[in-house]
Amino acid sequence: MKISKKIVLLGHFGVGKSSLIRRFVENTFSEDYKVTIGVHILKKSVEIPEEGKDVSLIIWDLEGNDDITATRLSYLLGTNGFIYVFDVTRPSTYKNLKNDLQFIKDKHKNIPVKVVGNKNDLVTKEFLKQNNDEFGRLTNYYTSAKTGNNVEDLFNTLAIELIK
Amino acid sequence: MLQAYKEKHAKAVIQYSIIDFNGIVLESDNVLFSPIETKNIADVHPFFESLIPLLTVENETFTFSCIHLEYNNCKITSDVILQTFNSKKSPLLIIHDLTTHYNNYQTTAQVRNESVIHSQILELKNDYLKEKEEFKNAFIANFSHELRDPLTGIITFSDILEQSGLNHQQLDYLNVLKSSSSFLKDMIDDILDLSKIEVGKLDLVIDPFNLHALLDDLKLNCIVKAKQKGLTFHYNFDEKLPKIVGGDALRLRQVLTNLINNAFKFTNEGSVTFNVSLNQIRAQKASIHFEVIDTGIGIKEEDVDRIFNSFTQVNNEDSYKGAGLGLSISKYLVELTKSKITVDSTYGEGSKFSTNINFRATPSLKLPRQKPASFSNIKKDKKYNILLVEDSEITQLSVLKILASKGQFFLDIVFTPEDVISKITNFDNEFDLVLMDIKLKENSGDEIAQLIRKLPEKQHRRIPIIALTAKVFKEDLKRYKKAGINDVIKKPFNEASLLEKMAMYLK
């Protein structure tokens, strides 16, 4: 039976949500920043050998917004999993991280959320350690859409979690 | 004809499709995406796959704005409405192509977001540079401060050595030592000033002072320098110059000394001239013109703008030593008085540096009363008890040697607040004066001074306290005064500066 799961990427603008999806779906990266308006939807099938299943991920790339409460509710209908992305180099993108996560958990109970610090190629490990209190404790993955670091792992892990 | 044009240019922008509860397209007008009849809508675009679970929800309208769709070379940005009815009536899907509208919005959003991100990144870069600058300035300030204790040792023991019956050759060597340490002291002062300038913390301290005395002092220095270098020195001080003016005497001396030293440094033959004249006295302000003229090596036209930059020496010959800070600091100090330094120079012929500075000038200005500061004025038949609060062994030894050589002092040395209070409150041994280091390893001297000022016994809490410190900026002096410290001896100090200041407070 065909399994399909809707994943929604949330976060401020310019944090690299579209780049992460492009890296995962097409394995490409562009340095040029093109603003996402509305929503782009892409699809990729992921094979999960441990479960003997193929899962079709329908990935919703939402327009970035610094106020998560302003996200159009229709976009979130039927969501199976969230990926919240912030930019490790821009404090404004993670200063409300705790509140944003609480908002998602309150509105979408029992739906898995992965927290991702993107652009980790631009900072040192030492920097990430120093910011443990700021965002480290809440973050599941540090990724780089540019190098591909941890991108595949992020989506595959979420896919496994969604079919269990 | 008109109908033909309309058919050519009018583009239908809304597509209506009826689909069954499994997503199969039953009917469609195909104006945007075609052909899609009999296909499952989920195969047209992944967006529609997300709609499948909603098809069985009865009597509901789902509206989705700004959805990017693409099918069979048709790429649009649209609003999509899914209208469901009862379980017997198939859902209706309406796709409204709003590509032009959303493209305009995209352009606006692109400009807005890029600008926000750019300003955030710029702010971060600025914060980083500011932090780096603050670290550098703090490092320079602390490092310069740490150099002062060993420098006090060198200066003090050079003085002591000078009085120990040296032969001529040894005295020559000692003079090299003394001039090197004096040069080092000036450099440290300059670096410390610069670190304050860069964080905007260097302020002027305006007090009445004797301008005539200051100029005479500078004149004497010039005469000595001219003699040492075999140059002619000219000066002309306007008779109309007011004697007592209000201004920062220390910084005025610093600026003029820098200009004069520069003139002597870069002049190998000919003369140095120092002129001071009164422009005018108006509205209780005296505008005074200062100029220093030399017949030295001069400055190339293209280098004139650079000479006021920190660490810049346009002449890189080794014979002209210095860190290149003097002019930079002087420029800043003069700018604090809302004036500027002007340079006229001809390469190979000489230079003229001039400035006009305003001073307060009212007949009511009076110099603060000061006790005679000469050590010779203190009672010769009395032994004084001095308490030194200092944890630097070099400074301890320096003070000890200076005081011991006079035979009029008993010295106790402590460095913890407990010991200070215990010593002072001991009625068997009353102290005449406390010499207090400010930057102790564990404590701050001004905090200990505050403790002393709160002691219950009048004779204990009124004991004169003189700070020994390198930190003598305006805010530091205010802090010391607030803590009850009577006066300050600046590190590095020598025998004369220590004894003269002590003499002011010894009865």
mmCIF file of all heavy atoms in Angstrom, chain A residues 2 4 13 33-35 37-41 43 58 60 63 74-75 77 89-92, chain B residues 45-47 49-50 62-68 102 105-106 109-110 113 116-117 120 124:
data_model
loop_
_atom_site.group_PDB
_atom_site.id
_atom_site.type_symbol
_atom_site.label_atom_id
_atom_site.label_comp_id
_atom_site.label_asym_id
_atom_site.label_seq_id
_atom_site.Cartn_x
_atom_site.Cartn_y
_atom_site.Cartn_z
ATOM 1 N N LYS A 2 0.440 2.211 -0.803
ATOM 2 C CA LYS A 2 1.219 3.450 -0.914
ATOM 3 C C LYS A 2 1.000 4.320 0.336
ATOM 4 O O LYS A 2 -0.133 4.598 0.722
ATOM 5 C CB LYS A 2 0.746 4.203 -2.153
ATOM 6 C CG LYS A 2 1.529 5.427 -2.475
ATOM 7 C CD LYS A 2 0.951 6.047 -3.723
ATOM 8 C CE LYS A 2 1.417 7.473 -3.886
ATOM 9 N NZ LYS A 2 0.657 8.126 -4.962
ATOM 10 N N SER A 4 1.648 7.964 2.044
ATOM 11 C CA SER A 4 2.095 9.310 1.750
ATOM 12 C C SER A 4 1.949 10.185 2.999
ATOM 13 O O SER A 4 0.974 10.075 3.742
ATOM 14 C CB SER A 4 1.314 9.720 0.533
ATOM 15 O OG SER A 4 0.706 10.760 0.516
ATOM 16 N N PHE A 13 12.094 33.837 7.241
ATOM 17 C CA PHE A 13 12.572 33.882 5.864
ATOM 18 C C PHE A 13 14.104 33.897 5.824
ATOM 19 O O PHE A 13 14.762 34.370 6.754
ATOM 20 C CB PHE A 13 11.973 35.073 5.098
ATOM 21 C CG PHE A 13 12.213 36.405 5.740
ATOM 22 C CD1 PHE A 13 13.429 37.064 5.584
ATOM 23 C CD2 PHE A 13 11.227 37.020 6.488
ATOM 24 C CE1 PHE A 13 13.663 38.290 6.161
ATOM 25 C CE2 PHE A 13 11.447 38.255 7.080
ATOM 26 C CZ PHE A 13 12.672 38.880 6.926
ATOM 27 N N TYR A 33 19.568 33.776 -3.441
ATOM 28 C CA TYR A 33 18.413 33.719 -2.548
ATOM 29 C C TYR A 33 17.173 34.143 -3.313
ATOM 30 O O TYR A 33 17.113 35.246 -3.836
ATOM 31 C CB TYR A 33 18.663 34.642 -1.353
ATOM 32 C CG TYR A 33 17.454 34.889 -0.475
ATOM 33 C CD1 TYR A 33 16.751 33.825 0.090
ATOM 34 C CD2 TYR A 33 17.011 36.178 -0.211
ATOM 35 C CE1 TYR A 33 15.644 34.049 0.895
ATOM 36 C CE2 TYR A 33 15.912 36.415 0.598
ATOM 37 C CZ TYR A 33 15.231 35.345 1.143
ATOM 38 O OH TYR A 33 14.137 35.563 1.943
ATOM 39 N N LYS A 34 16.209 33.242 -3.412
ATOM 40 C CA LYS A 34 14.938 33.614 -4.044
ATOM 41 C C LYS A 34 13.839 33.425 -3.005
ATOM 42 O O LYS A 34 13.645 32.341 -2.465
ATOM 43 C CB LYS A 34 14.677 32.746 -5.271
ATOM 44 C CG LYS A 34 13.541 33.290 -6.101
ATOM 45 C CD LYS A 34 13.206 32.408 -7.281
ATOM 46 C CE LYS A 34 11.941 32.949 -7.957
ATOM 47 N NZ LYS A 34 11.292 31.957 -8.772
ATOM 48 N N VAL A 35 13.163 34.522 -2.723
ATOM 49 C CA VAL A 35 12.121 34.495 -1.687
ATOM 50 C C VAL A 35 11.005 33.532 -2.073
ATOM 51 O O VAL A 35 10.588 33.495 -3.234
ATOM 52 C CB VAL A 35 11.532 35.913 -1.518
ATOM 53 C CG1 VAL A 35 10.297 35.888 -0.644
ATOM 54 C CG2 VAL A 35 12.561 36.847 -0.926
ATOM 55 N N ILE A 37 7.183 32.779 -1.848
ATOM 56 C CA ILE A 37 5.890 33.347 -1.426
ATOM 57 C C ILE A 37 4.868 32.211 -1.484
ATOM 58 O O ILE A 37 4.976 31.305 -2.312
ATOM 59 C CB ILE A 37 5.447 34.554 -2.283
ATOM 60 C CG1 ILE A 37 5.356 34.173 -3.759
ATOM 61 C CG2 ILE A 37 6.379 35.730 -2.098
ATOM 62 C CD1 ILE A 37 4.480 35.119 -4.552
ATOM 63 N N GLY A 38 3.912 32.237 -0.602
ATOM 64 C CA GLY A 38 2.907 31.174 -0.572
ATOM 65 C C GLY A 38 3.538 29.850 -0.220
ATOM 66 O O GLY A 38 4.272 29.754 0.763
ATOM 67 N N VAL A 39 3.311 28.863 -1.077
ATOM 68 C CA VAL A 39 3.865 27.551 -0.768
ATOM 69 C C VAL A 39 4.249 26.802 -2.047
ATOM 70 O O VAL A 39 3.543 26.865 -3.055
ATOM 71 C CB VAL A 39 2.866 26.724 0.085
ATOM 72 C CG1 VAL A 39 1.548 26.521 -0.632
ATOM 73 C CG2 VAL A 39 3.418 25.377 0.486
ATOM 74 N N HIS A 40 5.413 26.162 -1.974
ATOM 75 C CA HIS A 40 5.841 25.240 -3.033
ATOM 76 C C HIS A 40 5.707 23.836 -2.462
ATOM 77 O O HIS A 40 6.042 23.615 -1.300
ATOM 78 C CB HIS A 40 7.309 25.476 -3.397
ATOM 79 C CG HIS A 40 7.530 26.718 -4.190
ATOM 80 N ND1 HIS A 40 7.473 26.756 -5.564
ATOM 81 C CD2 HIS A 40 7.810 27.981 -3.800
ATOM 82 C CE1 HIS A 40 7.707 27.978 -5.979
ATOM 83 N NE2 HIS A 40 7.917 28.752 -4.936
ATOM 84 N N ILE A 41 5.239 22.935 -3.284
ATOM 85 C CA ILE A 41 5.091 21.561 -2.787
ATOM 86 C C ILE A 41 5.912 20.618 -3.664
ATOM 87 O O ILE A 41 5.776 20.641 -4.892
ATOM 88 C CB ILE A 41 3.605 21.139 -2.773
ATOM 89 C CG1 ILE A 41 2.848 22.054 -1.799
ATOM 90 C CG2 ILE A 41 3.442 19.699 -2.310
ATOM 91 C CD1 ILE A 41 1.725 22.778 -2.394
ATOM 92 N N LYS A 43 7.776 16.518 -3.911
ATOM 93 C CA LYS A 43 7.494 15.152 -3.454
ATOM 94 C C LYS A 43 8.726 14.296 -3.652
ATOM 95 O O LYS A 43 9.444 14.431 -4.654
ATOM 96 C CB LYS A 43 6.335 14.620 -4.306
ATOM 97 C CG LYS A 43 5.825 13.271 -3.927
ATOM 98 C CD LYS A 43 4.612 13.000 -4.817
ATOM 99 C CE LYS A 43 4.170 11.562 -4.746
ATOM 100 N NZ LYS A 43 3.019 11.315 -5.628
ATOM 101 N N ILE A 58 5.387 14.311 0.947
ATOM 102 C CA ILE A 58 4.897 15.509 0.245
ATOM 103 C C ILE A 58 5.349 16.684 1.107
ATOM 104 O O ILE A 58 4.866 16.884 2.227
ATOM 105 C CB ILE A 58 3.370 15.488 0.113
ATOM 106 C CG1 ILE A 58 2.981 14.216 -0.642
ATOM 107 C CG2 ILE A 58 2.869 16.716 -0.621
ATOM 108 C CD1 ILE A 58 1.535 13.865 -0.491
ATOM 109 N N TRP A 60 5.922 20.466 2.051
ATOM 110 C CA TRP A 60 5.374 21.817 1.870
ATOM 111 C C TRP A 60 6.421 22.834 2.328
ATOM 112 O O TRP A 60 6.802 22.871 3.500
ATOM 113 C CB TRP A 60 4.093 21.990 2.682
ATOM 114 C CG TRP A 60 2.912 21.298 2.075
ATOM 115 C CD1 TRP A 60 2.849 20.004 1.649
ATOM 116 C CD2 TRP A 60 1.629 21.871 1.821
ATOM 117 N NE1 TRP A 60 1.613 19.724 1.148
ATOM 118 C CE2 TRP A 60 0.818 20.851 1.238
ATOM 119 C CE3 TRP A 60 1.060 23.120 2.022
ATOM 120 C CZ2 TRP A 60 -0.496 21.064 0.866
ATOM 121 C CZ3 TRP A 60 -0.259 23.333 1.646
ATOM 122 C CH2 TRP A 60 -1.032 22.312 1.068
ATOM 123 N N GLU A 63 6.216 29.896 2.891
ATOM 124 C CA GLU A 63 6.795 31.249 2.913
ATOM 125 C C GLU A 63 7.299 31.550 4.329
ATOM 126 O O GLU A 63 6.590 31.303 5.306
ATOM 127 C CB GLU A 63 5.665 32.219 2.530
ATOM 128 C CG GLU A 63 5.990 33.676 2.638
ATOM 129 C CD GLU A 63 4.789 34.535 2.178
ATOM 130 O OE1 GLU A 63 3.989 34.060 1.338
ATOM 131 O OE2 GLU A 63 4.665 35.659 2.665
ATOM 132 N N SER A 74 -4.735 26.955 6.575
ATOM 133 C CA SER A 74 -5.058 25.972 5.530
ATOM 134 C C SER A 74 -3.819 25.181 5.103
ATOM 135 O O SER A 74 -3.904 24.024 4.715
ATOM 136 C CB SER A 74 -5.669 26.679 4.325
ATOM 137 O OG SER A 74 -4.756 27.600 3.783
ATOM 138 N N TYR A 75 -2.638 25.842 5.192
ATOM 139 C CA TYR A 75 -1.402 25.156 4.811
ATOM 140 C C TYR A 75 -1.094 23.985 5.756
ATOM 141 O O TYR A 75 -0.393 23.054 5.404
ATOM 142 C CB TYR A 75 -0.208 26.114 4.868
ATOM 143 C CG TYR A 75 -0.194 27.205 3.808
ATOM 144 C CD1 TYR A 75 0.625 28.319 3.965
ATOM 145 C CD2 TYR A 75 -0.962 27.111 2.654
ATOM 146 C CE1 TYR A 75 0.662 29.321 3.012
ATOM 147 C CE2 TYR A 75 -0.926 28.116 1.692
ATOM 148 C CZ TYR A 75 -0.119 29.216 1.879
ATOM 149 O OH TYR A 75 -0.077 30.201 0.930
ATOM 150 N N LEU A 77 -3.293 22.025 7.369
ATOM 151 C CA LEU A 77 -4.306 20.950 7.417
ATOM 152 C C LEU A 77 -3.684 19.611 7.040
ATOM 153 O O LEU A 77 -3.015 19.499 6.017
ATOM 154 C CB LEU A 77 -5.436 21.253 6.420
ATOM 155 C CG LEU A 77 -6.504 22.254 6.848
ATOM 156 C CD1 LEU A 77 -7.409 22.562 5.656
ATOM 157 C CD2 LEU A 77 -7.317 21.685 8.000
ATOM 158 N N THR A 89 23.400 31.466 12.050
ATOM 159 C CA THR A 89 24.197 32.703 12.008
ATOM 160 C C THR A 89 23.363 33.953 12.304
ATOM 161 O O THR A 89 23.916 35.037 12.430
ATOM 162 C CB THR A 89 24.863 32.903 10.624
ATOM 163 O OG1 THR A 89 23.848 33.186 9.657
ATOM 164 C CG2 THR A 89 25.645 31.684 10.197
ATOM 165 N N ARG A 90 22.020 33.814 12.350
ATOM 166 C CA ARG A 90 21.191 35.012 12.561
ATOM 167 C C ARG A 90 20.332 34.865 13.801
ATOM 168 O O ARG A 90 19.313 34.168 13.792
ATOM 169 C CB ARG A 90 20.299 35.258 11.335
ATOM 170 C CG ARG A 90 21.022 36.016 10.210
ATOM 171 C CD ARG A 90 20.254 35.911 8.909
ATOM 172 N NE ARG A 90 18.898 36.402 9.037
ATOM 173 C CZ ARG A 90 17.862 35.881 8.386
ATOM 174 N NH1 ARG A 90 18.030 34.845 7.597
ATOM 175 N NH2 ARG A 90 16.663 36.384 8.528
ATOM 176 N N PRO A 91 20.720 35.519 14.902
ATOM 177 C CA PRO A 91 19.978 35.376 16.166
ATOM 178 C C PRO A 91 18.493 35.685 16.044
ATOM 179 O O PRO A 91 17.685 35.105 16.752
ATOM 180 C CB PRO A 91 20.664 36.382 17.095
ATOM 181 C CG PRO A 91 22.020 36.559 16.528
ATOM 182 C CD PRO A 91 21.899 36.392 15.050
ATOM 183 N N SER A 92 18.121 36.598 15.141
ATOM 184 C CA SER A 92 16.693 36.944 15.031
ATOM 185 C C SER A 92 15.864 35.731 14.620
ATOM 186 O O SER A 92 14.660 35.695 14.857
ATOM 187 C CB SER A 92 16.497 38.073 14.025
ATOM 188 O OG SER A 92 16.930 37.651 12.759
ATOM 189 N N HIS B 45 -0.397 17.037 -9.536
ATOM 190 C CA HIS B 45 0.612 17.768 -8.754
ATOM 191 C C HIS B 45 0.565 17.265 -7.310
ATOM 192 O O HIS B 45 -0.531 16.945 -6.811
ATOM 193 C CB HIS B 45 0.322 19.282 -8.802
ATOM 194 C CG HIS B 45 1.434 20.115 -8.243
ATOM 195 N ND1 HIS B 45 1.534 20.414 -6.913
ATOM 196 C CD2 HIS B 45 2.523 20.681 -8.844
ATOM 197 C CE1 HIS B 45 2.617 21.144 -6.702
ATOM 198 N NE2 HIS B 45 3.239 21.328 -7.864
ATOM 199 N N PRO B 46 1.706 17.194 -6.612
ATOM 200 C CA PRO B 46 1.696 16.685 -5.225
ATOM 201 C C PRO B 46 0.757 17.471 -4.308
ATOM 202 O O PRO B 46 0.269 16.925 -3.316
ATOM 203 C CB PRO B 46 3.141 16.846 -4.763
ATOM 204 C CG PRO B 46 3.952 17.074 -5.968
ATOM 205 C CD PRO B 46 3.054 17.510 -7.080
ATOM 206 N N PHE B 47 0.508 18.754 -4.655
ATOM 207 C CA PHE B 47 -0.403 19.536 -3.805
ATOM 208 C C PHE B 47 -1.752 18.834 -3.679
ATOM 209 O O PHE B 47 -2.327 18.735 -2.592
ATOM 210 C CB PHE B 47 -0.594 20.945 -4.403
ATOM 211 C CG PHE B 47 -1.768 21.690 -3.824
ATOM 212 C CD1 PHE B 47 -1.750 22.154 -2.505
ATOM 213 C CD2 PHE B 47 -2.920 21.899 -4.580
ATOM 214 C CE1 PHE B 47 -2.855 22.828 -1.973
ATOM 215 C CE2 PHE B 47 -4.015 22.571 -4.049
ATOM 216 C CZ PHE B 47 -3.976 23.026 -2.731
ATOM 217 N N GLU B 49 -2.436 15.769 -3.958
ATOM 218 C CA GLU B 49 -2.360 14.530 -3.174
ATOM 219 C C GLU B 49 -2.706 14.823 -1.715
ATOM 220 O O GLU B 49 -3.329 14.014 -1.030
ATOM 221 C CB GLU B 49 -0.945 13.939 -3.287
ATOM 222 C CG GLU B 49 -0.856 12.513 -2.794
ATOM 223 C CD GLU B 49 0.478 11.859 -3.122
ATOM 224 O OE1 GLU B 49 1.177 12.337 -4.047
ATOM 225 O OE2 GLU B 49 0.820 10.883 -2.441
ATOM 226 N N SER B 50 -2.310 16.042 -1.256
ATOM 227 C CA SER B 50 -2.618 16.427 0.126
ATOM 228 C C SER B 50 -4.110 16.691 0.325
ATOM 229 O O SER B 50 -4.577 16.760 1.450
ATOM 230 C CB SER B 50 -1.844 17.692 0.506
ATOM 231 O OG SER B 50 -0.483 17.516 0.281
ATOM 232 N N PHE B 62 -12.567 24.586 1.536
ATOM 233 C CA PHE B 62 -11.149 24.754 1.890
ATOM 234 C C PHE B 62 -10.517 25.714 0.886
ATOM 235 O O PHE B 62 -10.593 25.485 -0.325
ATOM 236 C CB PHE B 62 -10.415 23.415 1.836
ATOM 237 C CG PHE B 62 -10.982 22.382 2.781
ATOM 238 C CD1 PHE B 62 -11.838 21.382 2.316
ATOM 239 C CD2 PHE B 62 -10.660 22.408 4.127
ATOM 240 C CE1 PHE B 62 -12.361 20.433 3.179
ATOM 241 C CE2 PHE B 62 -11.177 21.454 5.000
ATOM 242 C CZ PHE B 62 -12.034 20.460 4.526
ATOM 243 N N THR B 63 -9.908 26.767 1.425
ATOM 244 C CA THR B 63 -9.283 27.750 0.528
ATOM 245 C C THR B 63 -7.769 27.753 0.748
ATOM 246 O O THR B 63 -7.300 27.850 1.885
ATOM 247 C CB THR B 63 -9.841 29.163 0.807
ATOM 248 O OG1 THR B 63 -11.260 29.094 0.709
ATOM 249 C CG2 THR B 63 -9.312 30.187 -0.171
ATOM 250 N N PHE B 64 -7.035 27.651 -0.328
ATOM 251 C CA PHE B 64 -5.563 27.668 -0.258
ATOM 252 C C PHE B 64 -5.049 28.808 -1.130
ATOM 253 O O PHE B 64 -5.320 28.842 -2.332
ATOM 254 C CB PHE B 64 -4.989 26.344 -0.764
ATOM 255 C CG PHE B 64 -5.457 25.147 0.014
ATOM 256 C CD1 PHE B 64 -6.629 24.481 -0.347
ATOM 257 C CD2 PHE B 64 -4.747 24.688 1.110
ATOM 258 C CE1 PHE B 64 -7.076 23.375 0.362
ATOM 259 C CE2 PHE B 64 -5.189 23.582 1.824
ATOM 260 C CZ PHE B 64 -6.352 22.922 1.459
ATOM 261 N N SER B 65 -4.285 29.727 -0.505
ATOM 262 C CA SER B 65 -3.787 30.871 -1.276
ATOM 263 C C SER B 65 -2.351 30.614 -1.739
ATOM 264 O O SER B 65 -1.582 29.953 -1.044
ATOM 265 C CB SER B 65 -3.782 32.123 -0.406
ATOM 266 O OG SER B 65 -5.042 32.304 0.148
ATOM 267 N N CYS B 66 -2.040 31.220 -2.850
ATOM 268 C CA CYS B 66 -0.666 31.286 -3.366
ATOM 269 C C CYS B 66 0.015 29.912 -3.431
ATOM 270 O O CYS B 66 1.049 29.686 -2.817
ATOM 271 C CB CYS B 66 0.140 32.248 -2.482
ATOM 272 S SG CYS B 66 1.650 32.815 -3.259
ATOM 273 N N ILE B 67 -0.612 29.023 -4.197
ATOM 274 C CA ILE B 67 -0.044 27.681 -4.381
ATOM 275 C C ILE B 67 0.651 27.635 -5.747
ATOM 276 O O ILE B 67 0.050 28.013 -6.763
ATOM 277 C CB ILE B 67 -1.157 26.602 -4.358
ATOM 278 C CG1 ILE B 67 -2.041 26.751 -3.109
ATOM 279 C CG2 ILE B 67 -0.561 25.204 -4.455
ATOM 280 C CD1 ILE B 67 -1.391 26.422 -1.809
ATOM 281 N N HIS B 68 1.898 27.190 -5.726
ATOM 282 C CA HIS B 68 2.644 27.091 -6.995
ATOM 283 C C HIS B 68 2.363 25.722 -7.613
ATOM 284 O O HIS B 68 2.632 24.699 -6.980
ATOM 285 C CB HIS B 68 4.134 27.263 -6.743
ATOM 286 C CG HIS B 68 4.468 28.606 -6.153
ATOM 287 N ND1 HIS B 68 4.824 29.689 -6.914
ATOM 288 C CD2 HIS B 68 4.457 29.046 -4.871
ATOM 289 C CE1 HIS B 68 5.039 30.734 -6.124
ATOM 290 N NE2 HIS B 68 4.820 30.366 -4.871
ATOM 291 N N TYR B 102 0.769 37.515 -8.045
ATOM 292 C CA TYR B 102 1.753 36.982 -7.096
ATOM 293 C C TYR B 102 3.198 37.270 -7.525
ATOM 294 O O TYR B 102 4.086 37.392 -6.687
ATOM 295 C CB TYR B 102 1.535 35.479 -6.886
ATOM 296 C CG TYR B 102 0.363 35.193 -5.954
ATOM 297 C CD1 TYR B 102 -0.701 34.382 -6.346
ATOM 298 C CD2 TYR B 102 0.326 35.749 -4.681
ATOM 299 C CE1 TYR B 102 -1.768 34.130 -5.497
ATOM 300 C CE2 TYR B 102 -0.749 35.509 -3.830
ATOM 301 C CZ TYR B 102 -1.795 34.705 -4.230
ATOM 302 O OH TYR B 102 -2.829 34.474 -3.377
ATOM 303 N N TYR B 105 3.971 40.525 -6.104
ATOM 304 C CA TYR B 105 4.191 40.371 -4.664
ATOM 305 C C TYR B 105 5.576 39.760 -4.390
ATOM 306 O O TYR B 105 6.295 40.172 -3.485
ATOM 307 C CB TYR B 105 3.078 39.486 -4.075
ATOM 308 C CG TYR B 105 3.284 39.119 -2.632
ATOM 309 C CD1 TYR B 105 3.420 40.099 -1.654
ATOM 310 C CD2 TYR B 105 3.349 37.782 -2.248
ATOM 311 C CE1 TYR B 105 3.620 39.753 -0.333
ATOM 312 C CE2 TYR B 105 3.553 37.428 -0.927
ATOM 313 C CZ TYR B 105 3.686 38.408 0.029
ATOM 314 O OH TYR B 105 3.896 38.071 1.333
ATOM 315 N N GLN B 106 5.943 38.813 -5.262
ATOM 316 C CA GLN B 106 7.253 38.150 -5.130
ATOM 317 C C GLN B 106 8.379 39.185 -5.225
ATOM 318 O O GLN B 106 9.314 39.182 -4.435
ATOM 319 C CB GLN B 106 7.388 37.115 -6.254
ATOM 320 C CG GLN B 106 8.819 36.650 -6.543
ATOM 321 C CD GLN B 106 9.162 35.379 -5.820
ATOM 322 O OE1 GLN B 106 8.332 34.486 -5.705
ATOM 323 N NE2 GLN B 106 10.380 35.287 -5.322
ATOM 324 N N ALA B 109 8.452 41.237 -2.044
ATOM 325 C CA ALA B 109 8.948 40.440 -0.912
ATOM 326 C C ALA B 109 10.454 40.206 -1.022
ATOM 327 O O ALA B 109 11.176 40.220 -0.022
ATOM 328 C CB ALA B 109 8.215 39.102 -0.859
ATOM 329 N N GLN B 110 10.916 40.005 -2.255
ATOM 330 C CA GLN B 110 12.349 39.766 -2.478
ATOM 331 C C GLN B 110 13.163 40.969 -1.978
ATOM 332 O O GLN B 110 14.118 40.817 -1.227
ATOM 333 C CB GLN B 110 12.595 39.546 -3.984
ATOM 334 C CG GLN B 110 14.028 39.212 -4.357
ATOM 335 C CD GLN B 110 14.358 37.746 -4.138
ATOM 336 O OE1 GLN B 110 13.496 36.892 -4.256
ATOM 337 N NE2 GLN B 110 15.596 37.464 -3.769
ATOM 338 N N ASN B 113 12.826 41.276 1.975
ATOM 339 C CA ASN B 113 13.577 40.269 2.735
ATOM 340 C C ASN B 113 15.080 40.447 2.599
ATOM 341 O O ASN B 113 15.827 40.324 3.570
ATOM 342 C CB ASN B 113 13.199 38.862 2.272
ATOM 343 C CG ASN B 113 11.807 38.487 2.724
ATOM 344 O OD1 ASN B 113 11.051 39.339 3.170
ATOM 345 N ND2 ASN B 113 11.451 37.219 2.605
ATOM 346 N N VAL B 116 16.127 43.244 4.818
ATOM 347 C CA VAL B 116 16.120 42.888 6.251
ATOM 348 C C VAL B 116 17.319 42.000 6.581
ATOM 349 O O VAL B 116 18.045 42.242 7.556
ATOM 350 C CB VAL B 116 14.794 42.173 6.625
ATOM 351 C CG1 VAL B 116 14.868 41.610 8.031
ATOM 352 C CG2 VAL B 116 13.623 43.123 6.510
ATOM 353 N N ILE B 117 17.541 40.980 5.749
ATOM 354 C CA ILE B 117 18.662 40.058 6.010
ATOM 355 C C ILE B 117 19.986 40.815 5.960
ATOM 356 O O ILE B 117 20.846 40.644 6.817
ATOM 357 C CB ILE B 117 18.656 38.887 4.999
ATOM 358 C CG1 ILE B 117 17.426 38.009 5.246
ATOM 359 C CG2 ILE B 117 19.927 38.048 5.118
ATOM 360 C CD1 ILE B 117 17.176 36.960 4.183
ATOM 361 N N GLN B 120 20.439 42.802 9.048
ATOM 362 C CA GLN B 120 20.737 41.939 10.209
ATOM 363 C C GLN B 120 22.195 41.473 10.177
ATOM 364 O O GLN B 120 22.878 41.461 11.200
ATOM 365 C CB GLN B 120 19.819 40.710 10.197
ATOM 366 C CG GLN B 120 18.406 41.013 10.677
ATOM 367 C CD GLN B 120 17.478 39.815 10.564
ATOM 368 O OE1 GLN B 120 17.860 38.778 10.039
ATOM 369 N NE2 GLN B 120 16.265 39.973 11.037
ATOM 370 N N LEU B 124 25.186 42.274 12.832
ATOM 371 C CA LEU B 124 26.006 41.240 13.469
ATOM 372 C C LEU B 124 27.490 41.521 13.270
ATOM 373 O O LEU B 124 28.297 41.380 14.187
ATOM 374 C CB LEU B 124 25.688 39.864 12.868
ATOM 375 C CG LEU B 124 24.382 39.225 13.323
ATOM 376 C CD1 LEU B 124 24.099 37.982 12.508
ATOM 377 C CD2 LEU B 124 24.469 38.866 14.803
#
